[in-house]
Amino acid sequence: MKKILLLSDTHSHIDDTILKYVSVADEVWHAGDIGDLNVTDTLKKLKPLRCVYGNIDNAEARLEFPLHNRFMCENVSVWITHIGGYPGKYNPNIREEMTSNPPKLFICGHSHILKVMFDKKNNLLHMNPGAAGKSGFHQMRTMLRFVIDGDKIKDLEIIEIGKRA
């Protein structure tokens, strides 16, 4: 069983509220638009980190993190990418692989809009944790927390960090 904290679009922002949730997770997953690598350096010191780079991330971030991160967590196949779209509107660059080799859990960021939905066509769960940072049009800073236990994804929680100031 693994307790996962999922965040995205930090845009160089990390604070004590985010770190409080990091402290009770087993792993932290970041779906891109990291900004300053101080964010991921801080996270890596506390917990195992799985991360992808986003469209605002510089060459240094792109050397450290992949565009796509596919892996197994327990018995769940996971695919994290920054600009992935959502069921029925997947990014054209990933549609073919999404159809031929779908994961059980597909995660992306980019939109700053928290969205969790089941894709019946590809039999997968789609998650976008919204934006944990302060840059962007979103009003509420958000993250997701959930548990992977064997082949089950359960105990999903929306974390509202607070208003974007």
Side-chain angles (χ1 to χ4, degrees):
M1 183 177 85
K2 294 236 187 221
K3 292 182 263 180
I4 309 299
L5 178 67
L6 174 61
L7 66 158
S8 187
D9 296 275
T10 48
H11 292 261
S12 303
H13 180 79
I14 188 106
D15 60 29
D16 289 340
T17 304
I18 293 171
L19 295 176
K20 176 182 81 172
Y21 287 99
V22 168
S23 71
V24 295
D26 294 322
E27 291 186 8
V28 178
W29 298 354
H30 194 303
D33 276 4
I34 303 155
D36 190 318
L37 287 183
N38 177 56
V39 170
T40 49
D41 291 345
T42 300
L43 295 172
K44 285 190 295 189
K45 286 177 188 168
L46 300 170
K47 298 292 175 169
L49 174 68
R50 297 182 189 265
C51 188
V52 295
Y53 71 79
N55 57 294
I56 68 134
D57 292 317
N58 64 19
E60 189 180 6
R62 292 167 191 241
L63 284 172
E64 185 169 348
F65 301 108
L67 174 62
H68 301 284
N69 194 346
R70 289 197 76 152
F71 57 93
M72 293 295 293
C73 180
E74 301 261 326
N75 295 321
V76 173
S77 60
V78 181
W79 182 355
I80 304 175
T81 194
H82 184 61
I83 303 176
Y86 55 91
K89 297 279 186 183
Y90 289 117
N91 182 322
N93 297 328
I94 66 163
R95 271 190 211 137
E96 187 178 317
E97 188 170 353
M98 184 62 76
T99 303
S100 65
N101 186 21
K104 183 167 184 168
L105 176 58
F106 180 68
I107 295 168
C108 62
H110 186 62
S111 70
H112 293 218
I113 299 168
L114 187 145
K115 188 180 289 194
V116 177
M117 56 194 299
F118 190 73
D119 178 345
K120 291 179 187 172
K121 181 179 175 189
N122 293 304
N123 193 33
L124 63 87
L125 183 61
H126 167 271
M127 290 185 188
N128 183 325
K134 293 184 174 184
S135 297
F137 66 88
H138 58 282
Q139 296 301 306
M140 180 64 66
R141 297 169 50 224
T142 57
M143 302 184 294
L144 290 172
R145 180 164 61 175
F146 56 95
V147 170
I148 294 183
D149 189 2
D151 64 351
K152 301 206 175 10
I153 304 162
K154 61 184 192 177
D155 301 334
L156 177 66
E157 297 174 74
I158 294 170
I159 300 167
E160 291 186 335
I161 306 169
K163 297 277 186 191
R164 182 179 66 82

